[in-house]
Structures are given as C-alpha cells and as structure tokens.
Amino acid sequence: MKIIVSGEKKEVADNLTVAALIEQEKVETPQYVTVSVNEEFIESGSFADRFLHEGDEVEFLYFMGGGK
Amino acid sequence: MAFTNEQLERYSRHIILKEIGVKGQKKLTASKVLIIGAGGLGAPAALYLAAAGVGTIGIVDADVVDLSNLQRQVIHTTEDIGKKKVDSAAETMRQINPDVTVNTYHQFVTGDNILDLIEGYDFILDGTDNFPAKFLINDACVMAGKPFSHAGIIRFKGQLTTVIPGESPCYRCIFKDPPPNDAVPTCRQAGVIGAMGGVIGSLQAMEAIKYITGAGELLAGYLLTFDALSMQFRKIKLPPRGSGCAVCSDHPTITKLIDYEQAACELKK
C-alpha cells in the first residue's frame, strides 16, 4: 500500500504498524519520537497496535533541545 | 506619539510595507518582548527585534560570554568574553537602536521567578538550550496566557512553533514530558551549525513581529522544521489543542510549575 511519511510517498507492506514503520524508517531516538497519523497524535504505548492504512499521512516529531 | 523624522527614516522600510505601515510600527514601538536565553537563538532574535524598534526588550540569561559561544551567538564579540551575556546583548541592542529600552535579568528561569519575569511582556521568545527550561517556559506561558515562540536547534536541523495559549497546541501537546537526561543529544554533545541559530532565531523574531503587528498568519498549530543539509523546510500541521494535554487542556492535571532536574549542556561546565 502507499502511505505518506514525512511528506514523501512510500510503498510499504500492508498491515504495517506504527512501531514497524519506526523501525523501518530507522527513526532516531525511537523511544522519544512523537508520531501523528492524519493529524492525530498516536499514544506511544499503542505504536505496536496501531495499523496503518492506504493513504495515511505519518509525521515524526523530534525533540530538539538546543538553542544556546 | 508621533514619530520624529529620524524615526520615520529609520523605520522607512517597515512603514512602506502595507502589512506594517505607520500603524504597525507604532505597535512595535509600544510592544514588549521577553527573550529567554541570549545564545544561538536569542542573539539573532534580539538583534532583529532591536533593529525593528520593539519598544521594550527583556533579556534573561545567567551565563557569561565564553569563547565557544562566538561561533553562533552573533550579538557578542571577542571583546565581550567574560561579560554577562545580558549586558553584552543589551550593549549591542542599544548601539543598534537607541530607541529601545532593554531590561536585563542575569538569572536562570525557575518555577519561582518565571511568572514574574513574563508578566509585563506581550510576547515571549524561548531561546533556551535545555528541556527543563523549555517545558517551564511552555507551562508558565500557558498558565499566564502569554503567546510565545518555541524553538530548538541541533546539528544541521532546527524547528519552531508559535503557541497561542487556549487556541493552538502547546509544546506539551507534542511532547508530554522532558526526555530523561542524556537520552536526546544536546548541542554541546552533538554540535550545531552556527548559522542555524541565525535561521531559526530570525524566524522567531519574525513571529514576534507578526504577532505584534497582526501581519499574516502565525505558526500557531504548525511545527516548521528545517534541515540545512537537504535545504528542506517543512510546515507540519499539528493536531488541534488536545483535550488530553496535561497543561493546556480545559481540565489540566499540571497546575503548578515544575523545575525538572536535568543538567543543561551549558550547566555542565
């Protein structure tokens, strides 16, 4: 199926979970990433249970602590 | 209060803009902006806000200027090494624009002082370098109903959002709690390209100016991310202000400010 990850179209396996996508995308600091699917935040506790569907738009939001 | 001829000339490139005009410039002159952190983000933001004629600029920082700051903190010069950052920043701002009143606060923000610090200001700019301060600023601004610009930079990346409390999602809507110490790299550990502070800090100044003058649309409800290596900006739409947010929902569970204990990169020296 086709989904959109960080603004880019991707062909991924059907029945992919958010947790599997995080692994597949080699997300940095995966324990601390915030994920939204179709502009809705996904609870980090449910990444493994949340299945993605055709056309879903996934965003990864990262901590950035620097500034000085 | 009417502008003098000198002021009309100083601000002529603003005044000619239909989104600003004399009216917008007067709003800037009457406005008060607080910058927390006179570093990579705060330095360029302070320069542009002073140049723009923001009437009162407060600057909060407990550090002194260090040689390793000068690669990015463009408001300080080599001669300023050892000076309080707030004094060095104030001096530069006054040189750029004597119209500006600069208030300096040589201190760290804490749960005890932050509400007093932000009280007299219209817009707050987070230019800090650590998660405890970023969460504290978020929570205090939400509780006090103060609009603010949040930003972070690391390596070749930066991001920012604008929070209008009660309307747009806050920092805690995105990130529930600070990450554990050392779980996420700091600039001191990971490095940061100096010009990133210029890009993102200038965008924070831009948001402050837009908020004050009412020009255009704010980054409220969006996270703008920038990757300098691929030269990509992305404006990511955030979910609406969550009913589940611990601080900005209509039934918050966090009602007191929290001083998280986590060493900041600059504190580790």
Side-chain angles (χ1 to χ4, degrees):
Chain A
M1 63 177 178
K2 284 194 181 70
I3 60 170
I4 298 169
V5 182
S6 305
E8 286 181 20
K9 276 186 197 154
K10 285 237 156 126
E11 181 72 41
V12 296
D14 290 352
N15 297 322
L16 192 71
T17 63
V18 169
L21 182 68
I22 286 173
E23 207 180 309
Q24 196 171 307
E25 290 292 307
K26 298 188 177 69
V27 164
E28 257 187 78
T29 60
Q31 312 92 294
Y32 305 111
V33 73
T34 292
V35 180
S36 79
V37 177
N38 304 330
E39 292 167 20
E40 196 179 307
F41 289 126
I42 307 301
E43 288 289 330
S44 57
S46 60
F47 285 173
D49 312 324
R50 178 63 154 85
F51 289 92
L52 295 166
H53 304 287
E54 176 83 29
D56 277 353
E57 292 186 31
V58 184
E59 294 286 353
F60 297 120
L61 308 175
Y62 299 98
F63 272 119
M64 256 180 231
K68 282 173 76 173
Chain B
M1 191 193 73
F3 285 124
T4 64
N5 284 341
E6 202 184 306
Q7 286 171 319
L8 287 172
E9 193 174 337
R10 177 184 285 272
Y11 304 121
S12 58
R13 304 300 192 278
H14 269 174
I15 290 169
I16 206 166
L17 295 168
K18 70 174 172 28
E19 292 85 354
I20 307 259
V22 170
K23 206 174 154 190
Q25 191 59 47
K26 281 192 172 166
K27 285 181 184 168
L28 287 169
T29 305
S31 72
K32 297 178 176 186
V33 176
L34 183 70
I35 301 168
I36 305 180
L41 293 166
L47 294 176
Y48 278 109
L49 292 176
V54 167
T56 303
I57 300 173
I59 188 135
V60 190
D61 202 304
D63 284 339
V64 296
V65 178
D66 182 90
L67 180 59
S68 68
N69 299 151
L70 300 181
Q71 162 259 16
R72 63 198 178 284
Q73 302 181 13
V74 291
I75 204 165
H76 315 297
T77 68
T78 307
E79 281 183 6
D80 296 322
I81 291 170
K83 270 190 208 168
K84 291 175 188 169
K85 281 189 185 174
V86 288
D87 291 341
S88 162
E91 211 172 280
T92 311
M93 283 190 273
R94 288 177 187 130
Q95 281 169 0
I96 290 172
N97 191 348
D99 287 352
V100 177
T101 301
V102 182
N103 299 327
T104 59
Y105 308 94
H106 183 240
Q107 54 196 264
F108 290 108
V109 286
T110 68
D112 288 329
N113 67 17
I114 191 164
L115 289 172
D116 289 335
L117 283 168
I118 66 177
E119 194 186 1
Y121 291 90
D122 306 311
F123 191 90
I124 319 297
L125 210 141
D126 174 0
T128 63
D129 63 349
N130 64 89
F131 295 111
K134 290 186 188 299
F135 276 85
L136 182 69
I137 291 166
N138 179 74
D139 294 356
C141 287
V142 167
M143 287 175 192
K146 295 282 181 189
F148 72 101
S149 166
H150 160 89
I153 53 175
I154 191 100
R155 299 190 185 108
F156 285 85
K157 290 181 176 175
Q159 63 187 21
L160 75 157
T161 183
T162 298
V163 178
I164 309 296
E167 291 178 30
S168 65
C170 79
Y171 185 52
R172 219 183 255 282
C173 290
I174 311 173
F175 302 110
K176 289 185 175 169
D177 292 297
N181 210 356
D182 290 335
V184 175
T186 63
C187 289
R188 191 172 158 81
Q189 295 157 340
V192 64
I193 189 82
M196 187 56 73
V199 173
I200 304 295
S202 301
L203 289 172
Q204 289 188 281
M206 188 72 82
E207 285 292 277
I209 290 167
K210 283 164 55 199
Y211 174 78
I212 293 158
T213 58
E217 310 219 339
L218 296 168
L219 261 183
Y222 293 89
L223 184 72
L224 184 69
T225 66
F226 175 53
D227 181 341
L229 293 179
S230 60
M231 227 42 188
Q232 268 202 328
F233 277 96
R234 292 196 62 230
K235 188 177 170 187
I236 301 170
K237 194 168 194 315
L238 297 170
R241 186 170 71 94
S243 53
C245 179
V247 72
C248 85
S249 73
D250 296 333
H251 303 283
T253 53
I254 295 173
T255 53
K256 272 188 191 161
L257 295 171
I258 306 166
D259 285 308
Y260 290 103
E261 283 185 24
Q262 184 186 2
C265 45
E266 299 286 323
L267 294 175
K268 280 181 189 162
K269 276 184 259 180

